[in-house]
Every structure is written in structure tokens, then in C-alpha cells.
């Protein structure tokens, strides 16, 4: 356990080091004049970011919470999907047996209740983690969990996930619509409500997306934004719009198709039974007028789930063939929701395809240049024939004046030249008009001038920032040289004092040596020098 904990701490420290490197790279990019969209954070948000952004311990706790988020949300999504699958299997069995409860229904409902309890516990734990994350980021201070918005969100999620069909709840009620009375069960209504648990799967998108990882959080915090689910969805729609819209379309078809079948199947089953009874009475009545009547058939085949999904496809795309359509009030409500959601998705797809097929600025300029070059080549081709026609006329006239050809030949060649000129002159004028039409308009000229001015301004900005950076480096170098000069001066003074001290000590040593030498010398001769008078 200690080794695993050390490895986890080391991994977190490596992540933090790379994270700081990313921020430094962003700052370096800004320093070299590359324009990036920056939204200045508010002052209070900036203070909060500074309060926790540079603390390694807090960052490690945030990373720990993120890993817990992944585990909790993955378990919640898995539990929700398992509960949905079991609930629909149970509803199919219960509906096919005309709402007669069986032992398998009670067992499956027991499993649904167990998954519901686990899901509620995971929802409560998720919101607790959200509260702890907000505390670590200093987004809330001095507030208990019950006073925050996370407690309200938790209560709403518990209410959404709590509704299910428990064991031994076999209640049915009758509904009258379209002149027919049919039975509807609480089990089917609760199963339709349980479809709302799909949001647990969508929550995984925010947890495992690359746009919500630690690096994205650090970059978003640097610019005063938040790397939440909405940011991840926007980023994915910008990067992979076709893939995201396709996934949303398939998920919407399944979601609305299952809800439609739950509400339409009982009504159409009752309509089919009533139509069969009416048709049977017509056949056994003996009235000859009944033979001219068409067979009554007001029901639709919703036994197959694919038919309800086909209905949703037609509704979302606003096609409406009319072979399938909702008849119950709840089914119509689901159809209205599917219609509005389908209009949104289809419009997003149209916008995406339009944007994908549009020229970029460079592609449009290249296309216009190629078009102009093609017009010029065509103009040269027709101009060559026009010049050839004039040459025929002039050469024929000169040859007639010199007597080389007769007047009839001259008139024939002149007619050929005029015919050649008339054939190609109209084409040349049309091409010239098209060339003028594709010439640069005032808007294009202004756009090119604006781009050039922007590029020049960016270049000037880059040079100014480089000059400022060089100036800062020069100032730093000057300060360092001044510090070094001061150190050299101090060292020189210390060296001088040491040399003076050494000279003084040398003089003292020389005097002492002379005294010793004289003392030894006079001790050998027996002569004592007179004592020196004090100066």
C-alpha cells in the first residue's frame, strides 16, 4: 500500500509539473505576439484562482477528486443502463401477458429496486464530491453542504432516479380515447420516466473528455472560464461536428422510440381488438350493405420496436409519410418533443455541412485566381483569331495594291477575315465581361488591405515585444554587471587591505629579525649596545 501511494504521489507531481509547463508555454506564446482569444477573469475569480492555483497539495487533492469522479460516474452510468434494460424486459413481459403479474416480473422489479438504491447512493456521493471540489477551489467558503446548490441538485436527482416500479405494484387504470377504452399500467409509465436516467451516460462525456482533464482545467482557469460539460460539448462540436451529431441522432431515435412504443402499444392493441370485433360483426350480420364497406383498420403495428423508431425518424426529419403516427396523448407529447429536438439536430447538421463545403479565405482567393487565369487563356485564344482576321484583311489589300492577286480574291479574303472576326469578337467581349465581373471588388480590396494591415500590425507587435524582451534582458544584464562590479570592488578592497596587512607584518618581522641578529652578534663579542632612546 505504501509503494502504491508513493507511485500515486509521484504521478500527481509529474502531472503538476507538466501542467505548469503548459501554462508557461501559453504565456510564452502570448509573449511572442501570437493572438489568442482571451477573456479577462473577474477580480474575485482571479483571487480565487491565485488562492489555490499554485498549491501542490491542493492540486493533488483536486486530482484525487477527479479520479473519484470517474469511478463514481462510471458506476452510476453502468447501474442506470442495467436498470433500464431490466425494466424494459420486465415491461415487455408484463404487457404481453395482459398485465397479469408473474414471478419473473417480481424478481426483475426486485433487481430494479436494488439498482435504484445503488444509483441513489452514487448520486449522493457525486454531489458530495462536487461540494468538496468547490471547497478545494475556494468557490464556496464557510457554507455547509445543505446551504449550497449541490444539495438542491442532489435532491432533484434523487427524485428523478427514485421513481421506478417496485415489486408487487401491479396497478392498472383505464383510459378512454378515440372511442375505445384501454388499460394502462403504472409499470409502463414508470419505465418511460426511467428513460431520464440516460443523463448519467451523458455525464461520462464530461468526465472522460480530453476537454475536461487537468490541463484543460488549468488552461480554462488561466483565462477565467470553466472546463465543464458545456465547454466540452462546444469543443467537440467545433472539432468533430459530424461524429457528435450522429451519436446524438442515434441516441435520440432510441430514446424517443422506446418512449413512443410504451404509450402507443396499449392503445393500438385495443384498437385492433375493437376493429376485429366490428369487422366480425359486419361479416356475420347478414346485411348486404356491409359488403360494400371497407374493412375497418385504425390500429398500427407497434409490436415491433423498430416501427416506433421509424416513426421518430420521420418526425425528427419532418418527413411524415403517414404510415405511422402517434394517437395517444402521451405519444403525441413525445412526438412534439422529438419534432423540436429533431429540428435542432437537422439544422445543426445543415449548418455543419454548409460550413464544411464553404471556401476558406485562402481557398476562395485561389479559386478566384484560377478562374481569372482560365478567363485570360480563353480571351487570348479568341484574341488570336481576331488578330488573324485583321491580318487576312490587311494582307489581302496590300497584295491587291501590288498586283499579286485579283480584286475578286481580295474580296474573298476580306470576307473570310470579317467572318473570323465576327465569330470570335462576341466570345471575346463575353469573356472580357466575365473577367471584369470576377475582378476584385471593393469589398475584396478592402478585405485584402485589412488583412495586410493586420499582418503588418502583428509583425510590429511582435517586433515591439521582442524589443521589450531584449530591453528587459539588457536591464537584467546591466543589474547583474553592476552587482558583479560591486563584488569585484569589495574583493579589490579586501585584497588591498590584506596586502597592506602583509606589508605591515613583513616590516615587523624584519625588525624582530634584526633585533635577534644584533643580540646574537653582541653576545658573541661581549659588547652590549647602548639602549635606543625612545623617539
Amino acid at each position: 500500500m505504501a509503494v502504491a501511494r508513493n507511485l500515486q504521489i509521484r504521478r500527481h507531481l509529474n502531472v503538476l509539473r507538466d501542467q505548469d509547463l503548459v501554462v508557461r508555454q501559453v504565456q510564452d506564446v502570448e509573449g511572442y505576439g501570437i493572438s489568442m482569444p482571451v477573456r479577462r477573469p473577474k477580480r474575485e475569480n482571479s483571487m480565487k484562482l491565485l488562492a489555490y492555483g499554485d498549491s501542490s497539495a491542493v492540486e493533488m487533492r483536486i486530482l484525487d477528486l477527479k479520479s473519484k469522479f470517474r469511478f463514481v460516474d462510471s458506476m452510476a452510468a453502468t447501474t442506470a443502463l442495467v436498470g433500464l434494460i431490466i425494466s424494459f424486459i420486465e415491461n415487455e413481459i408484463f404487457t404481453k401477458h395482459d398485465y397479469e403479474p408473474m414471478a419473473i416480473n417480481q424478481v426483475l422489479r426486485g433487481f430494479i429496486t436494488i439498482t435504484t438504491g445503488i444509483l441513489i447512493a452514487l448520486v449522493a456521493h457525486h454531489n458530495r464530491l462536487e461540494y468538496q471540489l468547490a471547497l478545494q477551489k475556494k468557490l464556496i467558503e464557510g457554507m455547509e453542504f445543505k446551504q449550497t446548490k449541490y444539495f438542491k441538485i442532489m435532491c432533484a436527482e434523487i427524485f428523478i432516479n427514485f421513481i421506478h416500479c417496485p415489486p408487487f405494484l401491479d396497478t392498472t387504470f383505464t383510459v378512454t380515447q378515440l372511442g375505445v377504452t384501454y388499460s394502462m399500467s403504472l409499470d409502463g409509465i414508470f419505465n418511460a420516466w426511467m428513460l431520464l436516467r440516460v443523463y448519467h451516460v451523458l455525464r461520462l462525456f464530461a468526465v472522460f473528455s480530453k476537454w475536461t482533464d487537468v490541463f484543460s482545467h488549468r488552461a480554462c482557469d488561466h483565462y477565467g472560464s470553466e472546463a465543464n460539460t458545456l465547454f466540452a460539448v462546444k469543443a467537440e462540436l467545433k472539432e468533430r461536428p459530424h461524429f457528435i451529431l450522429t451519436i446524438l441522432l442515434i441516441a435520440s431515435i432510441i430514446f424517443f422510440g422506446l418512449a413512443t412504443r410504451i404509450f402507443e402499444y396499449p392503445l393500438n392493441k385495443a384498437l385492433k381488438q375493437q376493429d376485429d370485433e366490428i369487422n366480425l360483426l359486419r361479416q356475420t350480420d347478414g346485411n348486404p350493405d356491409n359488403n360494400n364497406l371497407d374493412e375497418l383498420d385504425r390500429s398500427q403495428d407497434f409490436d415491433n420496436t423498430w416501427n416506433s423508431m421509424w416513426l421518430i425518424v420521420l418526425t425528427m426529419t419532418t418527413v411524415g409519410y403517414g404510415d405511422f403516427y402517434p394517437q395517444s396523448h402521451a405519444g403525441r407529447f413525445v412526438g412534439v418533443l422529438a419534432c423540436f429536438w429533431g429540428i435542432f439536430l437537422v439544422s445543426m447538421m445543415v449548418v455543419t455541412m454548409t460550413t464544411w463545403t464553404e471556401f476558406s479565405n485562402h481557398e476562395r482567393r485561389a479559386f478566384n485566381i484560377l478562374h481569372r487565369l482560365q478567363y485570360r487563356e480563353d480571351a487570348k485564344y479568341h484574341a488570336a483569331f481576331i488578330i488573324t482576321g485583321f491580318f487576312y484583311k490587311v494582307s489581302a489589300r496590300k497584295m491587291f495594291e501590288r498586283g499579286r492577286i485579283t480584286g475578286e480574291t481580295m474580296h474573298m479574303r476580306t470576307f473570310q477575315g470579317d467572318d473570323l472576326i465576327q465569330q470570335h469578337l462576341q466570345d471575346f467581349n463575353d469573356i472580357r465581361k466575365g473577367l471584369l465581373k470576377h475582378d476584385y471588388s471593393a469589398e475584396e480590396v478592402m478585405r485584402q488591405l485589412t488583412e495586410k494591415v493586420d499582418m503588418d500590425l502583428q509583425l510590429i507587435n511582435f517586433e515591439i515585444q521582442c524589443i521589450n524582451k531584449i530591453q528587459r534582458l539588457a536591464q537584467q544584464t546591466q543589474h547583474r554587471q553592476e552587482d558583479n562590479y560591486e563584488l569585484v570592488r569589495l574583493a579589490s578592497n579586501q585584497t588591498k587591505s590584506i596586502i597592506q596587512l602583509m606589508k605591515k607584518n613583513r616590516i615587523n618581522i624584519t625588525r624582530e629579525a634584526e633585533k635577534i641578529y644584533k643580540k646574537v652578534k653582541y653576545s658573541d663579542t661581549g659588547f652590549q649596545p647602548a639602549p635606543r632612546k625612545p623617539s
Side-chain angles (χ1 to χ4, degrees), residues 87-340:
S87 67
F88 276 98
I89 293 174
E90 187 274 330
N91 182 254
E92 285 290 322
I93 297 173
F94 189 60
T95 307
K96 294 293 184 182
H97 290 83
D98 295 330
Y99 306 122
E100 290 293 332
M102 302 177 64
I104 187 64
N105 294 105
Q106 312 305 334
V107 173
L108 293 177
R109 289 177 185 175
F111 280 114
I112 295 170
T113 303
I114 293 173
T115 57
T116 300
I118 296 173
L119 190 59
I120 290 174
L122 292 172
V123 165
H125 190 45
H126 171 86
N127 286 278
R128 276 285 183 180
L129 291 176
E130 289 279 5
Y131 172 70
Q132 294 177 10
L133 184 62
L135 287 178
Q136 295 297 332
K137 290 185 175 183
K138 307 294 184 182
L139 298 177
I140 53 175
E141 295 180 358
M143 297 178 64
E144 296 182 356
F145 177 67
K146 294 182 179 180
Q147 299 174 347
T148 60
K149 64 177 182 179
Y150 305 106
F151 178 75
K152 299 177 182 178
I153 295 174
M154 183 188 71
C155 294
E157 289 191 28
I158 289 175
F159 173 74
I160 293 173
N161 292 278
F162 177 76
I163 296 178
H164 69 288
C165 186
F168 306 105
L169 183 62
D170 306 320
T171 305
T172 59
F173 56 94
T174 58
V175 180
T176 302
Q177 190 177 350
L178 299 178
V180 62
T181 301
Y182 64 97
S183 298
M184 192 71 189
S185 66
L186 288 178
D187 182 75
I189 296 175
F190 288 159
N191 282 332
W193 180 271
M194 288 177 64
L195 284 171
L196 297 176
R197 297 185 182 184
V198 177
Y199 80 90
H200 290 286
V201 181
L202 299 178
R203 183 176 281 173
L204 289 179
F205 181 80
V207 176
F208 289 98
S209 175
K210 68 178 181 180
W211 303 103
T212 55
D213 58 3
V214 290
F215 302 106
S216 300
H217 274 281
R218 194 65 180 267
C220 289
D221 290 344
H222 181 70
Y223 290 109
S225 61
E226 186 178 357
N228 50 16
T229 307
L230 184 60
F231 173 76
V233 171
K234 290 179 180 179
E236 288 291 343
L237 284 174
K238 291 289 185 182
E239 188 180 39
R240 299 183 297 172
H242 301 90
F243 175 76
I244 298 300
L245 291 175
T246 303
I247 295 298
L248 288 176
L249 183 63
I250 294 173
S252 302
I253 291 171
I254 296 174
F255 178 84
F256 290 114
L258 293 176
T260 303
R261 185 181 181 278
I262 289 174
F263 295 117
E264 291 296 319
Y265 177 77
L267 174 60
N268 284 273
K269 184 178 180 181
L271 285 174
K272 185 177 182 181
Q273 292 176 357
Q274 190 179 32
D275 293 343
D276 292 341
E277 292 176 0
I278 294 173
N279 293 327
L280 182 62
L281 287 174
R282 287 178 178 179
Q283 293 176 2
T284 59
D285 190 16
N287 189 357
D289 295 335
N290 293 335
N291 297 329
N292 299 326
L293 297 176
D294 294 332
E295 186 176 354
L296 188 61
D297 187 12
R298 296 174 296 172
S299 64
Q300 303 174 62
D301 184 16
F302 280 100
D303 292 342
N304 195 342
T305 309
W306 294 111
N307 292 334
S308 61
M309 294 183 182
W310 170 249
L311 168 62
I312 294 301
V313 171
L314 299 180
T315 305
M316 293 178 66
T317 55
T318 65
V319 176
Y321 287 131
D323 51 350
F324 288 94
Y325 52 90
Q327 301 183 75
S328 64
H329 296 307
R332 291 171 181 173
F333 177 72
V334 174
V336 169
L337 295 179
C339 182
F340 286 128

Side-chain angles (χ1 to χ4, degrees), residues 417-429:
D418 290 337
D419 188 23
L420 192 63
I421 291 171
Q422 290 178 0
Q423 287 180 1
H424 293 275
L425 184 61
Q426 184 63 35
D427 295 336
F428 178 79
N429 290 330

Side-chain angles (χ1 to χ4, degrees), residues 431-461:
I431 292 172
R432 186 170 177 273
K433 291 179 181 179
L435 188 61
L436 292 175
K437 185 186 298 183
H438 286 79
D439 200 358
Y440 294 121
S441 61
E443 297 177 356
E444 180 69 17
V445 173
M446 288 298 297
R447 187 184 61 80
Q448 292 182 3
L449 289 175
T450 304
E451 290 182 357
K452 190 175 185 305
V453 170
D454 290 340
M455 292 178 63
D456 293 339
L457 289 176
Q458 289 180 3
L459 182 60
I460 292 172
N461 186 20

Side-chain angles (χ1 to χ4, degrees), residues 64-84:
D64 255 345
L65 290 174
K66 290 293 182 182
S67 61
K68 291 178 182 179
F69 268 120
R70 292 189 181 93
F71 175 76
V72 172
D73 290 343
S74 301
M75 290 296 297
T78 305
T79 307
L81 288 178
V82 171
L84 282 175

Side-chain angles (χ1 to χ4, degrees), residues 13-25 215:
L13 290 175
N14 291 333
V15 169
L16 291 174
R17 182 190 59 196
D18 298 337
Q19 203 173 15
D20 293 335
L21 180 61
V22 168
V23 174
R24 287 198 297 270
Q25 290 175 352
F215 302 106

